[in-house]
Amino acid sequence: MIKDIILQHIEKVKNISATTKEEIENARIEYLGKKGVMNDLFAKFKEVAPEERKEIGILLNELKNTVQNKIDTLKETIAEQQEALQPKEDFTKPANAVSLGSIHPLTTVRKEIIDIFSRIGFTVAEGPEIEDDWHVFSALNFPPEHPARDMQDTFFVENGREDGNDVLLRTHTSSVQVRTMERQQPPIRIIAPGRVFRNEAISARAHCIFHQIEGLYIDKNVSFADLKQSLLYFVKEMFGTDTKIRLRPSYFPFTEPSAEMDISCTICKGEGCNICKHTGWLEILGCGMVDPNVLEASGIDSKVYSGFAFGMGVERIAMLKYDVKDLRQYFENDIRFLNQFAGVI
Ligand code: PHE
């Protein structure tokens, strides 16, 4: 009976246990090959009596599907087994490169400035960022209510104290001058890098937090010529030996005389361009001879000693050195910006 044969085959197929590709292929040929069981049964199907055809047809299809499913499952099992045997990791693969990051341009420039001045005998001094009125203003010859206090918009921590010594965020590193002179008698030769704070609207050219480097040199017979020569040395080391300097008279309460120093434009070499607004010059720092009032306020005899001071913005120097157009980029931590400084120094 064809029906029994088919049913037997269905059982048999369900129990096929081929474990290699070859065995599976042999089973496939046995059932689905040209001279295989299926073709044989289909040939016999022609002889089946009409009233049995429907039932036998359904069984034949069931057998065919069973064979096909069995073969598919066996193939999948073998593939899975083989995959399981493959090592998951290739331990011979070289390790992924570790990206090391880079030094922030402001750090690089600060270090370079400190390096340059340390070569002529300046040592690093520091002071607190939260300061008092005395060290930021009064000792630096800003009288109370003096309009010069408005030059630097101050963040106050404690305003309107009875003793007048308000607590505030330092608006410049000149406070470190005072702290150093209070601590130490001349000769004094210090460089004071640090963060300063001003209540200013943030723009491409101004920020409420920025960095300054202060210089102070106090000894007997220190002259304006010493100031000029020291700054010329700095500029040539920092921007190249062909850089020129120019001093313009200016005003700071704590220096007399006071000056602002320009350098010949690093971009156009003094020819005139957009960066220097066609003047050929770029302003880089404020400086002057320390006012005798400041020396006296800090306990130094102004009849015996004299000295010079200067202060510069690190952001500004870095902008000129690396042609950075927008100050905000220093603080945004955009990897695309920072990566440009990988490998600098
Ligand atoms: N403290 C001044 C400023 O912040 C800079 C300066 C320092 C000027 C020392 C003269 C001497 O603008």
Side-chain angles (χ1 to χ4, degrees):
M1 271 297 287
I2 187 163
K3 184 181 167 185
D4 292 333
I5 298 174
I6 296 173
L7 287 174
Q8 275 167 20
H9 274 299
I10 290 180
E11 274 320 296
K12 197 178 155 201
V13 168
K14 281 184 184 160
N15 291 322
I16 293 179
S17 63
T19 49
T20 64
K21 275 189 182 168
E22 267 177 6
E23 284 172 9
I24 297 171
E25 182 59 7
N26 287 343
R28 190 191 68 80
I29 293 169
E30 187 187 339
Y31 279 91
L32 303 174
K34 261 195 184 164
K35 292 178 186 156
V37 175
M38 283 318 296
N39 278 349
D40 195 31
L41 289 172
F42 277 120
K44 287 195 177 124
F45 182 64
K46 287 176 193 140
E47 292 148 29
V48 171
E51 63 273 17
E52 283 180 276
R53 285 207 160 191
K54 192 177 171 195
E55 192 196 357
I56 300 296
I58 290 173
L59 282 176
L60 262 181
N61 265 331
E62 193 188 325
L63 174 60
K64 199 180 148 195
N65 289 338
T66 311
V67 172
Q68 196 58 59
N69 287 342
K70 185 71 190 183
I71 286 174
D72 289 348
T73 331
L74 284 173
K75 277 186 181 167
E76 264 172 43
T77 314
I78 282 201
E80 277 167 19
Q81 280 168 352
Q82 276 183 343
E83 205 185 289
L85 287 176
Q86 292 292 322
K88 294 253 173 342
E89 300 288 344
D90 176 2
F91 293 116
T92 64
K93 236 170 80 179
N96 290 338
V98 178
S99 136
L100 281 181
S102 56
I103 294 178
H104 195 280
L106 294 181
T107 306
T108 305
V109 167
R110 186 191 61 216
K111 276 168 80 180
E112 203 177 341
I113 296 171
I114 292 173
D115 255 29
I116 293 171
F117 280 104
S118 67
R119 293 205 283 274
I120 51 170
F122 284 77
T123 51
V124 172
E126 280 177 345
E129 292 174 352
I130 301 174
E131 261 294 5
D132 54 20
D133 181 281
W134 171 254
H135 291 94
V136 174
F137 294 125
S138 297
L140 287 164
N141 203 32
F142 287 81
E145 313 303 331
H146 192 281
R149 287 179 185 238
D150 295 339
M151 279 163 66
Q152 303 178 353
D153 297 309
T154 311
F155 284 118
F156 287 95
V157 177
E158 224 189 307
N159 199 358
R161 276 170 63 118
E162 260 177 37
D163 61 3
N165 201 15
D166 291 344
V167 181
L168 41 90
L169 301 186
R170 68 179 177 195
T171 56
H172 55 178
T173 42
S174 300
S175 51
V176 185
Q177 286 187 34
V178 181
R179 287 198 175 267
T180 309
M181 291 190 285
E182 281 174 346
R183 249 197 335 255
Q184 180 189 339
Q185 282 296 305
I188 294 171
R189 217 183 288 170
I190 54 131
I191 195 100
R195 239 185 321 219
V196 299
F197 309 84
R198 289 187 197 178
N199 191 358
E200 288 195 42
I202 295 169
S203 72
R205 299 172 60 84
H207 210 287
C208 57
I209 302 176
F210 57 101
H211 300 79
Q212 284 189 332
I213 294 193
E214 189 85 9
L216 177 72
Y217 180 28
I218 311 282
D219 206 343
K220 287 175 183 154
N221 303 318
V222 178
S223 72
F224 200 91
D226 295 321
L227 167 63
K228 208 174 154 183
Q229 195 58 35
S230 304
L231 292 178
L232 181 63
Y233 155 78
F234 161 68
V235 162
K236 284 178 183 284
E237 291 289 304
M238 190 76 197
F239 295 102
T241 44
D242 53 351
T243 317
K244 296 183 182 63
I245 61 168
R246 171 175 94 168
L247 287 153
R248 287 177 289 104
S250 184
Y251 172 76
F252 300 102
F254 36 95
T255 46
E256 184 59 36
S258 303
E260 258 156 322
M261 189 176 82
D262 300 338
I263 59 170
S264 51
C265 180
T266 48
I267 306 295
C268 65
K269 306 278 173 240
E271 295 284 307
C273 69
N274 277 341
I275 304 293
C276 61
K277 300 202 190 74
H278 300 280
T279 61
W281 296 97
L282 299 164
E283 185 190 319
I284 66 156
L285 57 78
C287 60
M289 300 307 291
V290 179
D291 192 300
N293 288 345
V294 176
L295 295 175
E296 295 295 337
S298 312
I300 286 174
D301 188 344
S302 63
K303 283 179 224 61
V304 181
Y305 295 107
S306 60
F308 65 71
F310 57 85
M312 66 184 103
V314 181
E315 280 79 357
R316 172 128 183 100
I317 305 276
M319 275 174 122
L320 298 178
K321 191 141 173 117
Y322 301 123
D323 200 15
V324 175
K325 299 268 179 345
D326 190 326
L327 194 85
R328 287 168 290 198
Q329 290 189 294
Y330 290 128
F331 306 102
E332 280 167 0
N333 282 338
D334 185 331
I335 289 289
R336 292 165 302 176
F337 172 73
L338 296 175
N339 270 345
Q340 296 178 72
F341 300 94
V344 175
I345 296 199

